[in-house]
Amino acid sequence: MLKTNILGMNLSNPLFLAAGILGTTASSMKMVSDAGAGGIVTKSFSIESNDGYDNPTIIKIEGGVINSVGLASPGVEAKKEELKQLNEIRSKTPVIASIYGDSEEVFSQVALQTKDYVDAFELNVSCPHAKCGYGSNIGENPETTYNIVSAVKDTIKDVPIIVKLTPNVTDITTIAMAAQEANADALTLINSVGPGLRIDYKTAKPILNNIFGGISGPMIKPIALKCVYKTYQTVDIPIFGVGGIKDYKDALEFLYAGASILQVGTSIMYTGPEIFKTITDDLTKFMEENSYKNLEEIIGLAHEQ
Ligand SMILES: Cc1cc2nc3c(=O)[nH]c(=O)nc-3n(C[C@H](O)[C@H](O)[C@H](O)COP(=O)(O)O)c2cc1C
């Protein structure tokens, strides 16, 4: 009932692991596959390794977390070795590589070097706390978004390109349109919100070493839903919805808003990878009880008034 396919990937269910959570090593990604995820997005990586910020880089807040991991990651050579080990699971659990860079050349090079080991790329142009100084500054601007997506599309003809957008803009649909015009195959909405700030009331000092960090988890769901809803009305390419999904009801809201595929990030920290099976079991039960035969009957329903 939850079987679906997107961009040439056949999925047992529409729930992907979101970038940055458990997506660093092959063994953790295999564990997520065993736990029942429909697909995996890796932690973002680039050509060079990046140490990210010093600890503390992540703290729990009401309704979510705030993090300034800063795109900490191994470089492309080390990542390629991890990706090779995922070949055995890709027919069951497709793998999307999340990549970042500071120029068209870097994005294109990372994609070229890893394209044989992945089913799609997710271009991270939306990190609100990138240590290297680039991230959402690309995805806040339609022109730079267009240029990066075009460059990667020109370089990589045979692997689909998904563009992950930041909600931290005046109108996300202008950026979504720029990505579509550059021939992106799909969009992922949204990266973390903010950045935001928390201060230790006892010491009067910012808690995160980087002072500011991206906000994620259940508290950002209404913002993510708004972004998916508005973008669904604007573009023709499919949308991966992400931001605060913790149960099947949240999953349904994203599908109703127009997401074809879903990603789960922060909520895994509360319940562990079992969350994939819990949500898919509950979603199947809901669909049976409400006589839905497949996901297509649900996607975009909130737009039919
Ligand atoms: C600790 C942490 C690390 C993250 N790292 C990345 C990353 O490397 N690349 C990326 O595109 N998004 C990253 N994200 C953002 C998530 O993929 C997701 O877009 C965001 O957290 C909203 O979804 P959620 O509320 O389900 O976590 C990270 C989020 C968290 C909490």
Side-chain angles (χ1 to χ4, degrees):
M1 178 171 275
L2 295 186
K3 276 200 184 122
T4 185
N5 59 68
I6 189 150
L7 311 177
M9 298 180 272
N10 291 319
L11 307 172
S12 58
N13 70 71
L15 286 169
F16 271 71
L17 173 73
I21 295 100
L22 294 178
T24 301
T25 63
S27 60
S28 63
M29 289 185 267
K30 281 182 187 169
M31 181 181 73
V32 172
S33 165
D34 289 344
I40 282 168
V41 185
T42 70
K43 168 82 188 154
S44 300
F45 61 96
S46 191
I47 295 272
E48 302 293 340
S49 63
N50 172 9
D51 292 339
Y53 294 106
D54 290 336
N55 285 325
T57 56
I58 181 160
I59 49 170
K60 197 172 170 192
I61 57 172
E62 303 79 13
V65 302
I66 175 165
N67 93 84
S68 60
V69 172
L71 292 178
S73 50
V76 69
E77 283 304 326
K79 198 73 188 191
K80 207 172 4 180
E81 295 311 310
E82 300 291 334
L83 292 173
K84 281 180 191 169
Q85 294 176 46
L86 295 178
N87 274 342
E88 63 199 67
I89 62 159
R90 275 175 53 205
S91 57
K92 171 177 167 270
T93 317
V95 175
I96 299 175
S98 170
I99 62 173
Y100 71 92
D102 63 349
S103 65
E104 297 163 25
E105 292 72 29
V106 170
F107 268 98
S108 303
Q109 272 307 315
V110 185
L112 256 186
Q113 291 189 41
T114 49
K115 74 181 184 56
D116 294 339
Y117 311 106
V118 299
D119 298 286
F121 287 105
E122 187 177 84
L123 309 189
N124 180 1
V125 293
S126 45
C127 178
H129 51 83
K131 183 171 184 207
C132 31
Y134 40 84
S136 57
N137 53 332
I138 299 171
E140 284 162 11
N141 180 314
E143 205 176 312
T144 47
T145 303
Y146 178 91
N147 290 341
I148 298 269
V149 178
S150 296
V152 182
K153 280 299 286 182
D154 284 349
T155 313
I156 305 292
K157 309 278 184 217
D158 48 350
V159 181
I161 307 294
I162 306 155
V163 187
K164 184 167 181 181
L165 301 187
T166 174
N168 312 319
V169 287
T170 310
D171 182 2
I172 197 167
T173 64
T174 59
I175 316 288
M177 282 299 288
Q180 176 170 272
E181 275 161 24
N183 289 322
D185 297 287
L187 300 171
T188 297
L189 313 179
I190 55 172
N191 211 316
S192 46
V193 172
L197 165 69
R198 286 301 299 272
I199 298 171
D200 185 331
Y201 75 93
K202 290 186 201 133
T203 63
K205 290 197 171 30
I207 301 174
L208 291 171
N209 186 288
N210 178 50
I211 305 177
F212 306 116
I215 304 163
S216 62
M219 71 185 294
I220 72 166
K221 185 182 73 169
I223 296 172
L225 281 171
K226 174 209 69 176
C227 291
V228 171
Y229 186 94
K230 283 183 71 177
T231 304
Y232 180 80
Q233 292 182 328
T234 313
V235 301
D236 305 317
I237 50 180
I239 298 171
F240 289 58
V242 54
I245 297 177
K246 65 176 180 331
D247 59 26
Y248 79 101
K249 295 180 200 157
D250 298 330
L252 279 165
E253 281 192 81
F254 275 85
L255 294 165
Y256 294 149
S260 305
I261 301 293
L262 312 169
Q263 297 180 2
V264 182
T266 301
S267 297
I268 298 170
M269 298 181 203
Y270 305 135
T271 58
E274 303 80 58
I275 193 168
F276 290 101
K277 186 158 166 29
T278 308
I279 297 181
T280 48
D281 284 353
D282 291 348
L283 193 55
T284 305
K285 191 161 167 265
F286 175 89
M287 287 171 66
E288 279 166 2
E289 285 169 1
N290 290 277
S291 306
Y292 290 118
K293 289 189 243 12
N294 53 48
L295 292 168
E296 283 65 42
E297 291 181 351
I298 297 179
I299 295 165
L301 264 188
H303 299 265
E304 289 175 21
Q305 298 300 337

